[in-house]
Amino acid sequence: MRNTKPQLSFGQIWNMCFGFLGIQFGFALQNANVSRIFQTLGADMEDVPGLWIAAPLTGLLVQPVIGYFSDRTWTRLGRRRPYFLWGAIFSTAALLVMPNSPELWIAAGTLWVLDASLNVSMEPFRAFVGDQLAPRQRPTGYAMQGFFIGVGSVVASALPFVLAKAGVANTAGPGEVPDTVRYAFYFGGAVLLCAVLWTVLRTREYPPEVLAGFDDAHPPGTLVVGDAPVPSAAGGVPWLLLGIAGVALVWLMEWDRMLLVLAGLPLAYGVLRQVAALGTRGMVAAIVGDLHAMPVTMRQLAVVQFFSWFGLFAMWIYTTAAVAQTHYGATDPQSAAYNEGANWVGVLFAAYNGFAALAAVAIPWMARRFGLRVTHLVNLWLGAAGLVSVAFIRDPQWLLLSMAGVGFAWASILSLPYALLSDSLPAHKMGVYMGIFNFFIVIPQLVAVSTLGFLLGHVFGGAPMRVLMVGGVSLALAGLFALRVSRPLSERARIRGVTA
């Protein structure tokens, strides 16, 4: 007898996703304002990507660990909700500290705390949808998360602009963050904590034994019980050698030191393989084993995610500098023109998130009509066109049109890869695989922070607008690779039902 998860109501899906409103409030404030804060505190433009390294590194380290432990957690608050709550508490504290940082190094350190705490909350939210919803409702669940991400980001990104219009000071003395940014972070902390508390208090979770009894708990080709075998240490040796050679080359050739991050990626994986091989049990061995045995669909999506998030990170880091320089003729972060441009970028980021909220309503229909893969291709190409068009539009008001395409891509990136992936994941490893899947979000970000500053200074002649165009090309490539992803089981079953 089939034991199918019951279909949840709109209100139940709303409650389980509402916390994402607060989490994305924090991420949006970070994305739209951290480069501005760093430059205000004295960072050079070419150094900004290196200061952003906290974001991808904390995701790389935190998400698989939290996924591993949340799969094995059961408390009075359930399986995932304890992580929602504690992540929100520390994120709120970091949002209160960030705009009051007296020195650049304190702001950089606070970014590490903020991003780590946001990741503690976010990773279990992704697994939460897989836990609670049957495969046929998962695209709706992830689209609902995308809707709240859009709404939260609209308000958060536009807050400094709105506060400036309300008369709050938008400039400050040297080394001081304007009050518009400071008050936006205070408000964001309150929203984050309240939204996550709503989900924690108004949802329930299936106990592990109940979850294991549903018919989607063990997709074909996955382990029913136990951990995947740990790969041999010998397989990690080529990665070690590649990483060592890369580090030596950067050092001897006196290249940009940020390229050491790029060389460190294969080195770190080689070390991880050696550590995992020392024992067949424990967290590191389990994560490396699951990484090595990941489903085929995850491997295919890894390429899509790489090009998607490389493009996004290029946009987040350099849009403020590009728009201020190209459309407002300003490069001095203390000038009124630069801060006017920075505020307009906040509006543009709010706009693309607003378009993403609208797109989240349309994406489930598009997915039913065209399939998940083609829908993702179309949305990514819209984003590519939007990002490239920023270089050719001269009136900053018309950049809102560019953000429409970016919004569709953003909504799709936040939902469809997870819908494509979740059908292939076993229920007892939903958390750790969602955390491992985050590798393919943060690795392109690490590649971005290690290479974009070098490219800006040595290839693009200090013109940040050219970096945005590279980001657009990256989104276009991601769309092409989306067509290579295997069709999900739920979609294949629906097609068989139509053709039978």
Side-chain angles (χ1 to χ4, degrees):
M1 180 179 296
R2 291 171 59 84
N3 184 19
T4 303
K5 286 177 185 172
Q7 184 164 315
L8 299 188
S9 68
F10 176 84
Q12 289 172 311
I13 298 176
W14 175 283
N15 288 338
M16 64 184 288
C17 296
F18 188 73
F20 237 108
L21 173 75
I23 293 172
Q24 192 57 32
F25 219 100
F27 273 121
L29 286 170
Q30 170 184 297
N31 293 339
N33 296 286
V34 164
S35 290
R36 178 181 184 178
I37 291 172
F38 286 160
Q39 287 190 272
T40 298
L41 294 175
D44 293 330
M45 189 191 304
E46 291 183 17
D47 295 331
V48 169
L51 294 169
W52 268 89
I53 199 171
L57 269 185
T58 53
L60 187 69
L61 298 172
V62 170
Q63 289 220 21
V65 172
I66 294 300
Y68 173 86
F69 283 113
S70 70
D71 282 341
R72 290 159 171 78
T73 294
W74 187 255
T75 70
R76 288 184 299 173
L77 276 180
R79 189 185 195 190
R80 315 292 183 188
R81 289 177 295 166
Y83 298 93
F84 302 167
L85 181 59
W86 284 107
I89 291 171
F90 282 100
S91 298
T92 298
L95 285 171
L96 299 180
V97 171
M98 172 68 80
N100 294 299
S101 301
E103 301 287 346
L104 179 60
W105 69 269
I106 294 177
T110 305
L111 179 60
W112 282 85
V113 176
L114 174 60
D115 209 271
S117 303
L118 289 170
N119 275 290
V120 168
S121 286
M122 185 179 73
E123 193 284 331
F125 260 105
R126 295 298 192 190
F128 196 45
V129 170
D131 290 345
Q132 302 299 106
L133 296 179
R136 65 184 181 278
Q137 283 197 300
R138 285 173 185 165
T140 301
Y142 288 118
M144 180 75 78
Q145 285 189 348
F147 171 78
F148 282 123
I149 288 171
V151 172
S153 297
V154 167
V155 180
S157 298
L159 264 180
F161 178 85
V162 173
L163 290 170
K165 291 296 183 183
V168 178
N170 191 45
T171 57
E176 295 183 3
V177 175
D179 285 345
T180 50
V181 176
R182 197 187 313 273
Y183 294 155
F185 273 64
Y186 297 162
F187 184 72
V191 171
L192 191 158
L193 187 59
C194 291
V196 170
L197 280 172
W198 180 278
T199 291
V200 169
L201 297 175
R202 296 186 67 86
T203 56
R204 57 95 179 97
E205 297 186 63
Y206 294 114
E209 63 275 9
V210 174
L211 197 62
F214 288 119
D215 57 7
D216 64 331
H218 308 293
T222 62
L223 290 174
V224 175
V225 295
D227 293 323
V230 180
S232 67
V237 172
W239 295 98
L240 276 173
L241 295 177
L242 178 62
I244 292 171
V247 169
L249 189 62
V250 172
W251 195 268
L252 293 173
M253 299 297 293
E254 297 184 349
W255 290 343
D256 190 321
R257 290 294 180 255
M258 284 306 301
L259 293 175
L260 290 171
V261 176
L262 186 62
L265 290 173
L267 180 62
Y269 179 65
V271 170
L272 194 64
R273 288 282 294 265
Q274 306 308 308
V275 173
L278 294 176
T280 58
R281 295 183 179 181
M283 179 185 67
V284 174
I287 291 175
V288 172
D290 289 332
L291 174 64
H292 193 69
M294 73 176 75
V296 172
T297 299
M298 184 182 286
R299 295 179 187 273
Q300 296 165 339
L301 282 168
V303 183
V304 180
Q305 293 291 83
F306 178 88
F307 287 106
S308 299
W309 287 89
F310 185 91
L312 289 173
F313 218 59
M315 178 184 72
W316 289 332
I317 293 176
Y318 284 111
T319 298
T320 297
V323 170
Q325 182 181 98
T326 303
H327 298 87
Y328 290 83
T331 57
D332 179 7
Q334 304 298 332
S335 67
Y338 179 95
N339 281 285
E340 182 183 356
N343 278 357
W344 184 243
V345 170
V347 174
L348 295 177
F349 279 20
Y352 88 69
N353 282 288
F355 287 121
L358 296 176
V361 177
I363 282 175
W365 175 84
M366 294 174 66
R368 290 191 296 270
R369 180 68 178 82
F370 304 111
L372 296 173
R373 300 175 304 164
V374 173
T375 299
H376 201 39
L377 164 70
V378 170
N379 291 331
L380 287 170
W381 277 8
L382 288 172
L387 208 51
V388 170
S389 70
V390 174
F392 299 97
I393 294 173
R394 288 294 170 259
D395 185 346
Q397 303 291 324
W398 279 98
L399 294 179
L400 291 168
L401 183 61
S402 302
M403 294 301 104
V406 173
F408 269 80
W410 179 230
S412 196
I413 290 167
L414 292 173
S415 58
L416 295 189
Y418 298 96
L420 283 162
L421 176 67
S422 59
D423 280 6
S424 65
L425 300 182
H428 69 291
K429 289 183 177 290
M430 187 70 71
V432 71
Y433 269 127
M434 285 295 181
I436 289 173
F437 193 52
N438 193 59
F439 286 169
F440 311 120
I441 294 174
V442 299
I443 288 173
Q445 294 179 32
L446 287 170
V447 173
V449 299
S450 63
T451 59
L452 290 180
F454 175 82
L455 291 174
L456 178 68
H458 296 83
V459 179
F460 297 145
M465 187 62 73
R466 295 178 181 177
V467 180
L468 293 191
M469 296 183 72
V470 170
V473 172
S474 189
L475 289 178
L477 290 172
L480 289 175
F481 281 108
L483 294 180
R484 296 181 60 251
V485 178
S486 301
R487 200 183 299 274
L489 293 173
S490 57
E491 200 169 284
R492 278 181 267 168
R494 178 169 55 82
I495 292 173
R496 285 196 298 269
V498 171
T499 58

